[in-house]
Amino acid sequence: MKRRTQAGAGAGAGSGAGCLLAGAGAVIAVLAWAPLARVNVTGGFEGQHRDLSVLYLDFPLIALGGALLPVVAWRAGLTVVGRPWAAVLGAVAALALGVWGLTAWWEPSGPPVFRE
């Protein structure tokens, strides 16, 4: 009979935490991004500047980034620190910084502004 090692004992619980972090990260990133992208989908004033590329290009990238960022940070935290609670805390902090960076950087294109 083989004995389970310390790292192998927590592998089942770790994969569940990784999936939970990925799902939560994708949902939070999309929910933070959606109000910013609304002007592109609805077209702004009188529907004149509709850009649906946010649905087939930006939406999958935002969801993928939101899913991968906390999982990568969590796995790196487990590798470096070795404590699950510290790794989850680092993943939540990485997701918060990622969402903040997304909302600060990503700006939807708007209708042209005419200045006099």
Side-chain angles (χ1 to χ4, degrees):
M1 299 247 307
K2 290 185 178 180
R3 289 186 142 184
R4 292 178 106 182
T5 62
Q6 185 73 10
S15 62
C19 289
L20 183 66
L21 282 170
V27 168
I28 289 170
V30 168
L31 288 177
W33 165 83
L36 297 173
R38 187 184 70 199
V39 71
N40 287 36
V41 175
T42 61
F45 179 69
E46 294 183 355
Q48 299 232 349
H49 195 64
R50 182 173 283 190
D51 181 17
L52 297 179
S53 70
V54 297
L55 295 178
Y56 61 83
L57 182 65
D58 294 349
F59 175 72
L61 292 175
I62 297 295
L64 183 66
L68 289 179
L69 181 66
V71 172
V72 169
W74 171 71
R75 189 64 187 151
L78 274 180
T79 303
V80 173
V81 179
R83 299 186 186 265
W85 62 269
V88 169
L89 188 63
V92 169
L95 179 63
L97 284 173
V99 168
W100 171 77
L102 169 71
T103 56
W105 172 76
W106 193 83
E107 184 176 330
S109 58
V113 177
F114 299 106
R115 297 189 178 130
E116 295 179 20

